[in-house]
Each structure stands twice: as C-alpha cells, then as structure tokens.
Amino acid sequence: MRHVIALDVGGTGMKAALVGADGTLLHQARRATGRERGPDAVVAAILDFAAELRAYGTEYLGAPAAAAGVAVPGIVDETHGIAAYAANLGWRDVPLRDLLTASLGLPVALGHDVRTGGLAEGRIGAAAGADRFLFVALGTGIAGAIGLDGRVEAGAHGFAGEIGHIVVRPGGTPCPCGQHGCLERFASAAAVSEAWAAECGDPEADAADCAKAVASGDPNAVRVWQRAVDALADGLVTALTLLDPRTLVIGGGLAEAGETLFTPLRDAVRRRITFQKLPEIVPAALGDEAGCLGAGLLAWDLLNQTDRTEVTA
C-alpha cells in the first residue's frame, strides 16, 4: 500500500504515523526525543525512529514509504530543509532534511510544527473550505499559521505567523526574544499558569486549574483569566487587521478550556473591531494529531509536486 512517513517532533516527545494517500492513518507510534542527552542525541533519535517506520511499512504494508514529512519546533528554513534554531532541543543549523534523505533514501519535506499543524487544520480540520484562515496555537508560547488557498505562508525568512511576539503591552514583561510586553508573555498557557500560581499561592497550579476556577466563579481566577483574554484579543485584532482571515482557529493547551475561553474571547474581539470583518472564531479540530497529520500532507504534497514535474518533463 502506497504510504508516507509523518513525524511530528516536540520538545520532549515525537508522534509519528504511516499515512495512506486518502489520509488514513495506517500505523501510529510515539517515542521520546531524548533531549536530556543533548542535541546530537535528538537527531539520532529522529533518524532511528524514521528508520523504524520505514522498516514497518516494508514489512507490514508491502513496500517502504514513498516519502517522509517532518514537523519540528523553532525556526525552520523549509526551503533548504534546515532546523535553524530550537531552544528546547538545543539545535542550531541542523540539515535535518538532508540527514533524513540520506538515511531513508526517500524524498523528505521539513516544516515548522505550528505551520504544519495549521496546514492540517486548514485542509482537513476546523478551517477546511476556508480560502483564508489564521491558526493560532496557545501553548508554552504562542505561534500562528497564515493559511492561503490550501497552503500556509512561511514568509521570506521563515518567520511568518509569529503572532506571539506582537507587543500588546509596551514596556511590559520582558520576553526572551528581547522585546517587552509580547503577547505570549500574557496569553500563553505558560503565562496563565504562572499568573494563576502566583495569585492562588500554589506553585503547582496551572492554566487548566485557572480555567476550572473561572468556571466555578472564583473572582481571582476570573481576573487573571480576563487579563489574558484581553491581551489575546488585542493581539488577534492586530492580526485580523493585517490579514483579514475568513476563519480564526484557536488551538493549543489553553483552547482546551472550551467556552471558558471562547465565549469571552469572541466578545473581546467583537468589542475591539471597527471597520474589520469579524471572522468565525472556532476551536481547533485535530488536537495533538494536527502536527502529524500536517507532516503527512507535506509528504504527499512533495510527491505530487515531483509527479507533476516528471509529467511536465
């Protein structure tokens, strides 16, 4: 059965699948990245995991994969297949596409994790059918994917969609990027966790605990939550003004709060817009499988592009 390898590399774990041409997940697996052993060990773990997946396809599906798609965090040069920088993994300028191509003997597509997840949400998830969409992931940080007619825009230098570094509170909390007052310092799951832990006095408390307290009517939690929602709405309205998406998809850990997030967020965005058109604001549909599904789409896109080139030639 013709299939591709799809691999989604996170800070601590990797999710993978063998994906059929119709999008069917023929096999799924997970592994640790082994980042505690250093960046070289992470690269070795990726190569080993990909080789295992290739071997599984050969044995159980009758043929090796036709291509591979890999989604990785950090700064990614998708054109040249280089994982340029990832703080969580200790990477700098890793030629991951070439390493995987040499190891597997297959064509390989490399993508940014959030843009790859956004690609999946745009084609087969919450924004399917929308010609213009913005996908925003609220996790440890905040990042976005700009969707245009079934593809995701990477930008001239691979930085498109970095909505988490829009300054929403000038002179505010310092951000590791070097600015002060970045959106992700106020509205990411990590930021809400930090604020709620300080407010309630429990260092183990996190954003999910804050959301539960909001739902129960705790006024301190409501105050912390509303500060995050207001900052998020400010950042999103800036993005809406620039991009004019038809659909705005919100995913990541904070979105798991459901209507505890979406009801006040829709209201806050609506209050802020003037001439802008209010997009449909919806939760992501694919959960933590989005990156892996998107990696499979990257691989199939690569194969289809190759097939078209061969036909033209």
Side-chain angles (χ1 to χ4, degrees):
M1 183 177 293
R2 198 167 191 235
H3 63 278
V4 297
I5 294 169
L7 184 57
D8 179 20
V9 180
T12 59
M14 299 182 283
K15 298 182 287 290
L18 299 181
V19 185
D22 61 354
T24 302
L25 300 179
L26 304 171
H27 171 67
Q28 293 179 270
R30 295 186 181 228
R31 295 284 186 280
T33 59
R35 68 174 182 174
E36 68 279 359
R37 298 193 302 274
D40 290 342
V42 176
V43 174
I46 292 170
L47 296 176
D48 288 346
F49 194 17
E52 287 179 25
L53 293 162
R54 185 181 188 279
Y56 184 97
T58 301
E59 182 173 356
Y60 294 100
L61 300 178
V70 184
V72 298
I75 298 170
V76 183
D77 180 345
E78 297 172 1
T79 301
H80 298 98
I82 295 172
Y85 176 71
N88 288 341
L89 299 174
W91 281 352
R92 283 191 181 276
D93 297 324
V94 178
L96 193 57
R97 185 179 66 192
D98 287 349
L99 291 172
L100 281 162
T101 298
S103 173
L104 298 172
L106 305 173
V108 176
L110 184 69
H112 179 271
D113 57 351
V114 173
R115 288 197 293 268
T116 301
L119 178 67
E121 288 288 351
R123 288 200 196 166
I124 59 176
D131 56 345
R132 300 289 188 276
F133 72 90
L134 176 63
F135 170 67
V136 178
L138 309 174
T140 303
I142 297 178
I146 302 165
L148 305 167
D149 294 324
R151 64 181 182 83
V152 170
E153 174 60 46
H157 307 95
F159 298 153
E162 288 294 343
I163 185 175
H165 296 289
I166 289 176
V167 174
V168 294
R169 299 292 180 265
T173 307
C175 180
C177 79
Q179 299 185 114
H180 288 73
C182 287
L183 175 60
E184 70 175 40
R185 298 301 299 138
F186 298 92
S188 64
V192 174
S193 295
E194 183 180 341
W196 178 235
E199 181 68 34
C200 72
D202 178 2
E204 300 300 318
D206 61 14
D209 297 321
C210 185
K212 291 174 185 175
V214 170
S216 70
D218 184 321
N220 294 326
V222 170
R223 186 170 59 254
V224 168
W225 194 259
Q226 192 61 49
R227 281 200 301 262
V229 168
D230 286 341
L232 181 57
D234 288 341
L236 291 176
V237 169
T238 297
L240 300 184
T241 304
L242 291 171
L243 301 172
D244 187 27
R246 198 172 307 279
T247 304
L248 173 57
V249 181
I250 308 292
L254 209 61
E256 293 176 7
E259 288 306 311
T260 300
L261 173 67
F262 283 92
T263 296
L265 179 61
R266 291 186 185 108
D267 289 343
V269 172
R270 188 178 295 110
R271 289 195 305 270
R272 284 163 170 76
I273 62 172
T274 54
F275 66 89
Q276 304 93 333
K277 293 294 185 181
L278 182 67
E280 184 181 16
I281 302 175
V282 299
L286 302 177
D288 70 353
E289 291 187 344
C292 199
L293 290 167
L297 291 172
L298 288 180
W300 283 114
D301 284 354
L302 180 61
L303 282 176
N304 291 335
Q305 181 181 11
T306 301
D307 290 345
R308 286 194 298 269
T309 300
E310 290 176 353
V311 169
T312 303

